[in-house]
Structures are given as C-alpha cells and as structure tokens.
Amino acid sequence: MLTILTVDDSASMRAMVSLTLEEAGYNIISAIDGDQALEKARNTDPDLVLTDVNMPNMDGITLIRELRKLPKYKFTPMLMLTTENSAEKKREGKLAGATGWLVKPFNPEQLVATIKRVT
C-alpha cells in the first residue's frame, strides 16, 4: 500500500483529500503546513507528497524545494493541489521540483488517476 503525505491548512480540504485517497486504497499522513510536513517527511517515508501552495509558516513551493534537498525525496512524486492557477506560480512550482499541478476544487477520479500515473 502506497503512503501519501497530504499537506493543507484547511481541515475540510485535508478531510476530503484523505477520504478520497483512503477509499482508493492509500495510506495517508496529514500535515497542516509545510513545517509540519517537513518534520513528518523526515520521520516517515511517503511514496508521494500532495501539497497546497498557500499555507502559513511554510508554503507548498518552499516545502517541495526543501524536500528535494533530502536524498530520499530526490525522485519522489510531488503534486500541488491548489486554487492557484497562474502560469507564474506553476512555473515556480515546476522549478522547485513539483511533478504536477492540480487545481481545486478537485475531481476525486482525476486526483486518483493522476496519482496512479506518477507512482
């Protein structure tokens, strides 16, 4: 069973994403911001990271940049799930090491299909 680290400062969004992914057979680790996600990532070994962009303490793009510095996350798929849709933010995410970009509100089937494609 694959483990996914989900990161979002919205409790309702974390719950919706977790429910969707658990129903698809994934094990979920949740974090409320980039700081907490980085700490959890150091102590666990998720197969994929799914993060929001705009969060307090550490945003998702900075989180991806920090995770990519760690050897065990060099090739781990990292997806952005966000309301941000500007070309500039997407470019910034790609430069940080994001594997893909999904826009909220998310389609559960599309989310699962995207995860299957990159894992």
Side-chain angles (χ1 to χ4, degrees):
M1 178 187 306
L2 294 179
T3 298
I4 299 174
L5 173 58
T6 64
V7 192
D8 201 302
D9 57 322
S10 163
S12 59
M13 185 56 66
R14 280 194 315 274
M16 284 191 298
V17 168
S18 292
L19 180 64
T20 298
L21 297 178
E22 285 169 347
E23 285 178 352
Y26 296 103
N27 181 39
I28 303 303
I29 301 167
S30 292
I32 61 170
D33 62 26
D35 281 344
Q36 189 182 66
L38 190 56
E39 185 63 32
K40 289 187 177 193
R42 285 184 174 127
N43 297 315
T44 61
D45 199 13
D47 300 290
L48 181 135
V49 176
L50 180 66
T51 183
D52 188 12
V53 171
N54 298 313
M55 298 178 290
N57 304 316
M58 183 190 297
D59 66 59
I61 291 173
T62 303
L63 170 63
I64 288 178
R65 220 177 269 126
E66 291 301 310
L67 287 172
R68 289 289 185 218
K69 292 177 185 175
L70 303 173
K72 73 178 181 176
Y73 291 104
K74 189 171 182 176
F75 301 109
T76 302
M78 297 188 196
L79 300 173
M80 308 298 300
L81 177 60
T82 180
T83 55
E84 289 282 350
N85 200 16
S86 73
E88 177 56 31
K89 276 288 182 196
K90 287 181 179 179
R91 189 178 74 73
E92 194 180 339
K94 187 176 178 97
L95 288 172
T99 309
W101 196 280
L102 298 160
V103 178
K104 295 177 190 173
F106 70 94
N107 172 306
E109 293 83 19
Q110 181 188 11
L111 177 61
V112 172
T114 300
I115 288 170
K116 285 182 178 172
R117 200 167 46 245
V118 299
T119 54

